[in-house]
Every structure is written in C-alpha cells, then in structure tokens.
C-alpha cells in the first residue's frame, strides 16, 4: 500500500511553499498568485509540450519521409535511438530512486 503522507487533492509540499519555507516572499498573497499563474499555468504546460515535442517531430519525419520516397530516411534504429533509450532509462531510474528517497 501507498504510505499515508497527506490526504486530499493538493500536494503536501505546496503548503511549505505557501508558508515561505523556500522563499520568504511567497508568503504574500499577490506574489503567491503570480507564482501560481507563472509556474502552474504556464511553466507546467510548456514542460508537457517539451516532453511530447520529440515524439511529434519523430512522427512527422517518419510519415513525411516514408510517403515521399526519400532515400535519406532509414527506418532502422541507429546510434541516436540508442542514446535516447539509454538516457530515458537513466532518467526513469533516477526518478524512481528520488521518489523512494522521500519516504
């Protein structure tokens, strides 16, 4: 079972930010509102876009090059694919370790 760290919908770490644990200026309501708007509404959506952008580019390249009989397009895996796979696995392992260090 998952350990009971908090109850409710909001991440328990937001309370520490609101109370100025990291930055004292975040205690002020207008500053907190601007932080929410900038970080949550803008930054997190950009982050999600950046996460999926390589997949979109790969899809466009794969479909355009295959349909145009381009001789440069090679559907087999290459060095860049291997580097991407290794980096992805390293990041997943690192994230898993970081998540488990929390408890």
């Amino acid at each position: 079972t998952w350990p009971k760290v908090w109850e409710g919908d909001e991440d328990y770490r937001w309370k520490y930010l609101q109370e100025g644990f990291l930055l004292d200026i975040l205690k002020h309501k207008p500053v907190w509102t601007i932080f929410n708007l900038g970080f949550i509404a803008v930054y997190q959506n950009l982050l999600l876009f950046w996460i999926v952008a390589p997949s979109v580019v790969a899809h466009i390249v794969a479909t355009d090059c295959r349909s145009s009989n381009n001789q440069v397009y090679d559907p087999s895996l290459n060095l860049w694919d291997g580097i991407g796979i290794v980096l992805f696995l390293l990041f997943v392992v690192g994230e898993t370790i970081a998540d488990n260090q929390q408890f």
Side-chain angles (χ1 to χ4, degrees), residues 14 33-52:
W14 284 114
T33 303
I34 293 169
F35 172 75
N36 263 335
L37 178 66
F39 180 73
I40 296 173
V42 177
Y43 175 72
Q44 289 187 350
N45 282 302
L46 283 173
L47 189 61
L48 290 173
F49 172 74
W50 292 330
I51 289 170
V52 300

Side-chain angles (χ1 to χ4, degrees), residues 15-73:
K15 183 178 118 189
Y16 292 116
L17 282 176
Q18 273 183 315
E19 293 173 355
F21 181 74
L22 182 63
L23 295 170
D24 202 37
I25 196 166
L26 291 177
K27 289 181 185 177
H28 307 291
K29 185 76 171 163
V31 176
W32 178 254
T33 303
I34 293 169
F35 172 75
N36 263 335
L37 178 66
F39 180 73
I40 296 173
V42 177
Y43 175 72
Q44 289 187 350
N45 282 302
L46 283 173
L47 189 61
L48 290 173
F49 172 74
W50 292 330
I51 289 170
V52 300
S55 299
V56 173
V57 171
H59 173 72
I60 291 170
V61 168
T63 54
D64 285 350
C65 292
R66 190 175 343 143
S67 63
S68 66
N69 293 327
N70 190 339
Q71 300 299 322
V72 177
Y73 175 70

